[in-house]
Amino acid sequence: LRAKLESLRAATPIPINTAAAVEVARLEGELKAGINSGQMQLYVQPIVDMRSHQIIGFESLVRWMHPITGLVRPDFFIPLAERSGLIVPLGRWVLREACHAALRFDREQNHAKMAGKSGFISVNVSAGQFHDPEFIPELASILRETKLNPERLQLEITESILSDTSAAKRWIAGCKKLGVRIALDDFGTGYSSLSYLHEFDIDTLKIDQSFVRRILEDKRSEKIIITIIQLSQALGLEIVAEGIETQPMFDRLAALGCHYGQGYLIARPSPIDAYFAAR
Ligand code: C2E
Ligand code: MG
Ligand code: MG
Ligand code: MG
């Protein structure tokens, strides 16, 4: 009997917090229903040329309009989507929606606050999408379907994806073959080595908000930003500073030679309609 009890104990899985597991499963179910029933919304935030102050493009940032809770931020549901695999259908929806948004900016340009000609739209891509073998074929069909000039689409990936060097190179090459641009998001927070950055066919570096936030108080953050700007110049990359909240931050970044910026000072993320409201 004792031996039997021992073997039973060994076979019993480690205790889990059942309440938490049930709650996560419930939320995943709600997220799935939300994706399928049109509760997702595409918000956009402008990216400006820091010298001319003109809008050159937008980053798309997804929101979940939950019928009871109201607006849910992606920091909450993107991890949930990643863990459940829902990131694949969600990401596909965002990509298609973003391409349509870019076309809409064209059509309604005369009414939009957007300056200049054809802006680009930047779309976040997370690890689950990177590992989805259907991602590149889907991207190709969305581009074909919408007839969007692929140069006007930018995909934002994070440094963590680059750790699998050969897979990342293949993936980036597949995207570049279709003509889209690649940005490294939250740059400086990952563990990727600067020395191998030149190996990847990347167009844009987005300086992480954590450095931008401290640029005026912390010499080290400022030095890191200066280094990233020099690096981008050496490698011929575009540079975008994220999270610009005040005019002094904007001015310092511009003085350091940062070309493009994004942040609450310029505009908060909002539904696309906000850019066509003035008529
Ligand atoms: P991210 O791609 O780094 O996006 C920038 C985040 O900073 C956004 O948060 C934006 O609203 C916020 N932000 C912009 N300017 C400022 C500022 O001046 N100050 C501060 N404090 N924050 C600012 P959001 O929209 O909550 O998105 C959070 C993250 O969720 C994004 O970080 C991105 O990693 C992820 N995400 C958002 N949309 C998508 C999506 O469609 N697909 C995927 N895979 N991830 C997404
Ligand atoms: Mg981003
Ligand atoms: Mg970022
Ligand atoms: Mg982020």
Side-chain angles (χ1 to χ4, degrees):
L1 180 67
R2 193 175 177 173
K4 200 168 180 193
L5 278 177
E6 283 295 301
S7 72
L8 256 181
R9 198 179 5 245
T12 310
I14 43 163
I16 53 158
N17 182 340
T18 322
V22 168
E23 178 65 4
V24 168
R26 190 183 62 77
L27 286 168
E28 284 176 6
E30 286 197 13
L31 180 60
K32 187 174 185 178
I35 294 168
N36 293 331
S37 66
Q39 290 171 14
M40 297 298 147
Q41 284 191 10
L42 194 79
Y43 272 42
V44 294
Q45 186 181 31
I47 298 168
V48 299
D49 182 317
M50 296 185 74
R51 290 159 297 190
S52 69
H53 294 210
Q54 294 206 317
I55 296 174
I56 55 150
F58 292 86
E59 176 173 7
S60 62
L61 295 159
V62 69
R63 298 288 183 264
W64 178 12
M65 196 56 85
H66 189 279
I68 296 159
T69 320
L71 200 72
V72 186
R73 295 273 306 249
D75 285 336
F76 172 75
F77 67 86
I78 293 290
L80 199 64
E82 275 281 331
R83 133 176 224 298
S84 59
L86 287 169
I87 193 69
V88 168
L90 174 60
R92 203 166 286 167
W93 179 84
V94 170
L95 202 54
R96 182 169 280 114
E97 204 66 15
C99 290
H100 283 292
L103 296 173
R104 192 170 163 198
F105 287 129
D106 282 352
R107 281 201 306 276
E108 309 198 32
Q109 210 187 103
N110 295 339
H111 307 285
K113 289 178 205 157
M114 185 174 157
K117 301 170 295 295
S118 304
F120 66 88
I121 191 103
S122 204
V123 176
N124 293 287
V125 174
S126 46
Q129 297 169 271
F130 170 79
H131 293 295
D132 170 24
E134 286 306 308
F135 181 84
I136 290 177
E138 279 286 339
L139 175 63
S141 74
I142 291 171
L143 288 168
R144 217 177 310 118
E145 223 175 84
T146 57
K147 300 194 178 69
L148 179 73
N149 176 354
E151 282 173 22
R152 297 182 51 205
L153 179 63
Q154 175 167 273
L155 302 178
E156 298 190 6
I157 57 175
T158 52
E159 286 167 272
S160 57
I161 281 174
L162 303 183
S163 61
D164 187 349
T165 312
S166 56
K169 274 187 187 165
R170 250 180 288 122
W171 190 90
I172 292 172
C175 294
K176 304 291 318 233
K177 207 172 158 199
L178 295 172
V180 306
R181 300 160 50 81
I182 304 286
L184 263 190
D185 202 0
D186 305 342
F187 187 73
T189 56
Y191 58 93
S192 85
S193 147
L194 298 185
S195 62
Y196 72 52
L197 196 59
H198 72 276
E199 292 183 39
F200 298 97
D201 195 358
I202 282 158
D203 302 280
T204 306
L205 296 182
K206 296 190 78 173
I207 307 175
D208 190 66
Q209 303 192 14
S210 57
F211 305 118
V212 174
R213 192 177 305 129
R214 295 193 294 258
I215 188 172
L216 298 175
E217 301 97 57
D218 174 24
K219 277 280 158 217
R220 288 173 54 135
S221 290
E222 189 189 30
K223 286 212 173 93
I224 289 170
I225 290 177
I226 292 169
T227 306
I228 295 174
I229 292 171
Q230 284 169 349
L231 179 75
S232 72
Q233 284 163 350
L235 297 176
L237 305 173
E238 314 256 30
I239 190 110
V240 179
E242 295 194 298
I244 306 175
E245 292 186 351
T246 66
Q247 193 62 50
M249 283 159 89
F250 185 103
D251 295 341
R252 175 67 61 86
L253 285 158
L256 292 177
C258 182
H259 285 176
Y260 305 113
Q262 178 182 357
Y264 292 169
L265 173 73
I266 299 146
R268 285 183 179 255
S270 64
I272 299 163
D273 287 345
Y275 287 87
F276 304 119
R279 47 174 94 172

